[in-house]
Amino acid sequence: MATHEFELNPVPTAARRSSVAMTMLMLGLTFFSASMWTGGKLGVGLSPSDFFTAVLIGNLILAFYTAFLAYIGAKTGLSTHLLARFSFGIKGSWLPSALLAGTQVGWFGVGVAMFALPVNKITGIDMNWLILGAGILMTITAYIGISALVVLSAIAVPAITLLGGFSVWLAVDGAGGLSALASQPIAAPLSQTQAITLVVGSFISAGTLTADFMRFGKSTKKAVIITIVAFLIGNSLMFVFGGAGAAATGKSDISEVLMLQGLILPAIIVLGLNIWTTNDNALYASGLGFANITGLPSQYLSVFNGIIGTICALWLYNHFVDWLVFLSAAIPPIGGVIITHYFTHKTQYKDIDIAKNKNVNWLAITSVLIGVAAGHSLPGIVPINAVIASALSFYLATWCYTNQLARTK
């Protein structure tokens, strides 16, 4: 990695990066082929109006949620896991770190498989060798650190925009125009609630780790704007790219769509770069998470995580939708607790040593469990229920506990 990735310390002002670099980094994060794949599921399951409604609402939720985390990260210079030390306690933060870092290892595996599958289809190269090769290359650049992430993103973002735009044009042209594309039959119907849950679930894990990247931002205002743009524009484009091709071909898998459109060769290069950037972000974030638990250098942990993600790649890919549903309920409560604690205890975050005063905050852990239960049991959109329930329960529990202490004194 870079000379210092500030795994266990705030990012100093001198190490902060330009807005252009941060924009490329966040777009590289949200320009993920998994979003195109999920867009394909929506494209064959919704009418055009319902599709755009689900994508807009889902990405508004993501933008609103991640904007808070971007602000906190840029303001404090702390990673998600160091922020969790304040709200969950030193050892209590191990729970969110393990969950968040573990899911990023999972996303890495999904990305490796998404690259290997189309290459295998067109070349016939053994799938295992493709997965191994892709996993090794992606892990090497993740080892370099934030500098490599910025450079890779600057290459991949314009490339995937051109390919995706061309794929949409081919889909519209091949269907006989926008009206003809809109009239395509719905092959696998989805409810609006299911669709929004998929949109949010596709990026809620990485979104909760927004502070890991935006802690390098020089301005809180720009950090918020960059994050909102990345989700409302960048991530929405990925869904449109995947949804248009799926509606035209009836195939939800983006690699199959591109193959039918005769774009498989450029897709191997461009999607490879695209997946590479997001996978490096995933490994980078996972290394930070496990560094918080073990105290070991994050670059070595990233390498280990890359090995695990590569080994599990095909299994994760084959259970992708189930993975999204799980994440949509399990991850948001963590962000809800972190956001609530920061905005009710701002002054504590000026000194990272204050986080050492508490070993485990059981109120935070209990609030996460309440959020997960609410996400699974209450009607409506799973991620919204989960984050609101955890934030509200944590606020009320902390308020009651503080008042109780004051009365006993």
Side-chain angles (χ1 to χ4, degrees):
M1 283 192 173
T3 304
H4 200 339
E5 294 299 326
F6 309 102
E7 301 101 322
L8 302 177
N9 296 286
V11 178
T13 302
R16 303 292 179 107
R17 295 177 177 268
S18 69
S19 296
V20 173
M22 298 309 298
T23 300
M24 286 296 103
L25 182 63
M26 286 302 293
L27 285 175
L29 178 68
T30 58
F31 271 43
F32 186 26
S33 298
S35 293
M36 298 172 73
W37 190 93
T38 308
K41 298 289 291 185
L42 269 59
V44 298
L46 299 171
S47 67
S49 60
D50 288 341
F51 174 89
F52 284 108
T53 299
V55 170
L56 178 61
I57 293 175
N59 279 304
L60 276 171
I61 293 169
L62 285 171
F64 184 76
Y65 172 68
T66 55
F68 279 106
L69 296 168
Y71 175 87
I72 297 171
K75 186 71 173 179
T76 63
L78 299 174
S79 70
T80 305
H81 313 284
L82 294 185
L83 291 171
R85 288 186 173 190
F86 286 88
S87 49
F88 288 84
I90 293 291
K91 291 185 178 179
S93 69
W94 294 358
L95 174 63
S97 286
L99 183 57
L100 289 165
T103 55
Q104 290 310 294
V105 176
W107 283 119
F108 176 84
V110 169
V112 170
M114 290 189 72
F115 171 75
L117 284 167
V119 178
N120 169 262
K121 288 179 182 179
I122 193 170
T123 65
I125 298 174
D126 183 82
M127 178 69 69
N128 293 321
W129 285 111
L130 287 170
I131 289 175
L132 179 63
I136 290 173
L137 287 174
M138 294 174 186
T139 301
I140 289 173
T141 47
Y143 179 87
I144 298 172
I146 201 76
S147 298
L149 303 187
V150 172
V151 172
L152 281 171
S153 296
I155 297 171
V157 166
I160 196 65
T161 301
L162 291 173
L163 175 67
F166 186 57
S167 175
V168 171
W169 180 82
L170 287 177
V172 174
D173 185 64
L178 285 172
S179 59
L181 182 64
S183 65
Q184 296 292 320
I186 297 175
L190 290 170
S191 70
Q192 194 69 282
T193 299
Q194 288 175 319
I196 294 172
T197 297
L198 282 173
V199 173
V200 177
S202 69
F203 236 99
I204 197 69
S205 177
T208 302
L209 291 162
T210 297
D212 286 356
F213 308 104
M214 296 313 297
R215 66 196 172 115
F216 285 94
K218 293 182 178 180
S219 160
T220 53
K221 180 180 179 180
K222 290 179 180 178
V224 169
I225 293 173
I226 289 169
T227 302
I228 291 173
V229 168
F231 282 95
L232 282 186
I233 297 178
N235 203 37
S236 294
L237 279 177
M238 295 300 99
F239 282 95
V240 172
F241 292 164
T249 63
K251 304 289 185 180
S252 61
D253 191 316
I254 185 62
S255 63
E256 292 186 28
V257 171
L258 293 172
M259 184 179 292
L260 290 172
Q261 291 180 328
L263 297 175
I264 194 63
L265 287 175
I268 288 174
I269 299 172
V270 176
L271 290 181
L273 284 172
N274 179 252
I275 293 169
W276 200 334
T277 59
T278 306
N279 269 11
D280 274 9
N281 282 310
L283 279 190
Y284 179 79
S286 72
L288 293 176
F290 288 120
N292 179 53
I293 298 172
T294 65
L296 297 173
S298 60
Q299 66 265 39
Y300 303 131
L301 294 167
S302 294
V303 172
F304 177 77
N305 295 340
I307 294 171
I308 298 298
T310 300
I311 293 172
C312 300
L314 281 178
W315 182 89
L316 291 164
Y317 181 85
N318 291 329
H319 296 80
F320 186 61
V321 174
D322 292 337
W323 189 248
L324 290 183
V325 173
F326 167 73
L327 291 179
S328 66
I331 299 301
I334 295 172
V337 168
I338 290 174
I339 292 169
T340 302
H341 189 273
Y342 174 78
F343 284 105
T344 54
H345 300 79
K346 281 186 179 181
T347 56
Q348 293 184 9
Y349 289 78
K350 295 178 181 179
D351 182 3
I352 192 171
D353 288 335
I354 292 178
K356 299 177 181 178
N357 294 337
K358 179 165 287 189
N359 206 18
V360 178
N361 185 352
W362 292 104
L363 297 179
I365 292 175
T366 302
S367 297
V368 169
L369 296 176
I370 290 172
V372 172
H376 281 297
S377 59
L378 296 179
I381 299 170
V382 173
I384 295 179
N385 292 339
V387 72
I388 291 177
S390 69
L392 185 60
S393 61
F394 181 66
Y395 176 81
L396 292 175
T398 303
W399 181 81
C400 291
Y401 178 72
T402 302
N403 284 347
Q404 181 65 31
L405 281 180
R407 284 196 295 268
T408 57
K409 291 179 180 179

